Amino acid sequence: MLETSARLLRLLALLQARRDWPGAILAERLDVSERTVRRDVDRLRDLGYPVESSRGTDGGYRLVAGTAMPPLLLDDDEAVAVAIGLRAAAGVAGVEETAERAAAKLEQVLPSRLRRRVGALQAYTEPVPPDRPGPAVDPAVLSVLAAACRDRERLRFDYRGHDGSSGARVAEPCRLVSWGRRWYLVAWDVDRDDWRTFRVDRIAPRAPTGPRFPPRDPPEGGAAAYVARGVSAAAWRHHARVLVHAPAEVVAARINPAVGVVEDVDGHTCVLVTGADSVNSLAVHLGLLDLDFEVTGPPELVDRLRALTARYARATAAAEDRPEGQAERPD
């Protein structure tokens, strides 16, 4: 009985690891006959695992979705990864309680060696807390939006603006994006004939969805970059278009997508559309690019760069009067 039980667990692990398995290969992996494989598959079916089989010379087996979720077999690294992922998801507004419950169930059945690994990661990892908690999101709404994205079905929903006003919207959904402590829907606004970003916590879907719409190219850079640009730009007090004397891919590699958008000009120059809360921060960030650039506006940024140029010149004036390599000695 012990040998049969161990073989069933091994068979189940194989079926969960790959979509299709020829019967002959399963028999070889388990070191049994194909007849024994057929019997073990029947035992799994009796336990509630929906295993499909196909006949013929190329016949095999496939574990498919059933009406209930049977137990999963995870190897050590998979179990640790799932546990860590659930703990991380517990910090996402709208799914904290569900993720906490799932994490607690998983950790309760982890072997002690794996529980120690997960515990060490939790005990010696310190996430940076957000400035303020994010708004709660209904997981059911997330599911509706994700299904509409997958099936390419138009969404009709009531949307509450930041000023509290509400109105009906029609959109063709593209992607859901989690940014910071908020969830966003990137969608093509049918009435405005353009891409828009919608806060999920302000969306109240109307049933039913549909009709279906043809696929559309996502916004430039992808949905996540589109949200990052929009969220950051909305918070900027100062904006600038800067000509950078470097290829676009070089500049893009040196900035976070939330910092700005890089527009290609030619193989040697590009335009960086960026901003910041203060002119001083904007000037410092441009300097950190460590690339030559030109700024023509806004006027306050030009004035700030001129002031910094004069300050840096004064800071190095004394060094010009000393022989190269000779440092000033303190009294």
Side-chain angles (χ1 to χ4, degrees):
M1 178 63 69
L2 179 60
E3 180 180 351
T4 301
S5 299
R7 192 175 64 246
L8 284 178
L9 291 175
R10 174 62 176 157
L11 173 59
L12 181 58
L14 291 172
L15 291 172
Q16 290 180 344
R18 202 171 83 181
R19 182 170 177 81
D20 293 290
W21 282 96
I25 295 180
L26 282 177
E28 180 181 350
R29 290 289 188 94
L30 298 171
D31 195 22
V32 296
S33 67
E34 293 187 48
R35 182 179 180 182
T36 300
V37 170
R38 289 195 295 271
R39 289 177 176 175
D40 287 347
V41 167
D42 288 337
R43 291 188 179 99
L44 288 179
R45 288 168 177 160
D46 291 339
L47 293 172
Y49 292 93
V51 182
E52 289 183 348
S53 60
S54 57
R55 297 185 180 277
T57 56
D58 296 328
Y61 302 93
R62 172 189 298 178
L63 184 65
V64 298
T67 57
M69 188 179 76
L72 295 176
L73 289 180
L74 303 174
D75 62 29
D76 287 5
D77 290 339
E78 290 170 344
V80 172
V82 171
I84 295 171
L86 287 171
R87 287 301 181 186
V92 178
V95 296
E96 302 101 322
E97 184 178 349
T98 305
E100 286 282 0
R101 290 201 311 268
K105 289 180 180 179
L106 177 60
E107 292 169 15
Q108 186 175 359
V109 298
L110 286 177
S112 59
R113 66 180 188 280
L114 299 185
R115 196 179 303 117
R116 284 174 56 83
R117 287 173 59 182
V118 174
L121 283 167
Q122 293 174 357
Y124 293 96
T125 301
E126 294 187 12
V128 176
D131 296 334
R132 55 184 181 275
V137 175
D138 187 349
V141 173
L142 284 175
S143 298
V144 170
L145 301 183
C149 292
R150 178 199 61 204
D151 300 333
R152 295 200 304 272
E153 293 181 341
R154 279 191 176 183
L155 279 171
R156 297 181 303 119
F157 55 91
D158 295 315
Y159 190 69
R160 187 180 73 257
H162 67 278
D163 59 355
S165 62
S166 182
R169 309 294 284 269
V170 179
E172 297 175 354
C174 175
R175 289 290 189 276
L176 286 168
V177 177
S178 176
W179 178 263
R181 297 282 293 180
R182 292 189 174 93
W183 285 88
Y184 298 89
L185 173 69
V186 176
W188 181 266
D189 192 307
V190 174
D191 295 328
R192 291 157 179 78
D193 197 31
D194 199 2
W195 289 105
R196 288 291 187 272
T197 299
F198 301 96
R199 285 259 302 269
V200 173
D201 58 292
R202 297 174 178 172
I203 292 177
R206 294 184 177 185
T209 57
R212 300 192 65 177
F213 58 88
R216 186 188 301 274
D217 290 336
E220 183 179 359
Y226 182 77
V227 170
R229 293 194 299 266
V231 172
S232 299
W236 291 339
R237 294 179 56 193
H238 302 276
H239 300 76
R241 291 179 61 87
V242 181
L243 180 67
V244 184
H245 294 280
E249 58 270 18
V250 172
V251 178
R254 299 191 182 192
I255 67 170
N256 186 288
V259 172
V261 181
V262 180
E263 300 175 356
D264 185 35
V265 176
D266 52 43
H268 307 286
T269 57
C270 64
V271 171
L272 173 62
V273 182
T274 185
D277 290 337
S278 69
V279 173
N280 191 58
S281 295
L282 184 52
V284 170
H285 292 159
L286 291 174
L288 291 175
L289 286 175
D290 196 24
L291 298 167
D292 291 340
F293 60 89
E294 298 178 27
V295 174
T296 58
E300 56 268 28
L301 177 59
V302 175
D303 291 342
R304 187 58 187 164
L305 288 171
R306 285 172 176 164
L308 289 175
T309 300
R311 177 174 297 167
Y312 293 151
R314 291 193 299 270
T316 59
E320 296 177 358
D321 298 331
R322 293 193 300 272
E324 185 177 354
Q326 179 180 344
E328 181 179 358
R329 294 180 179 274
D331 294 336

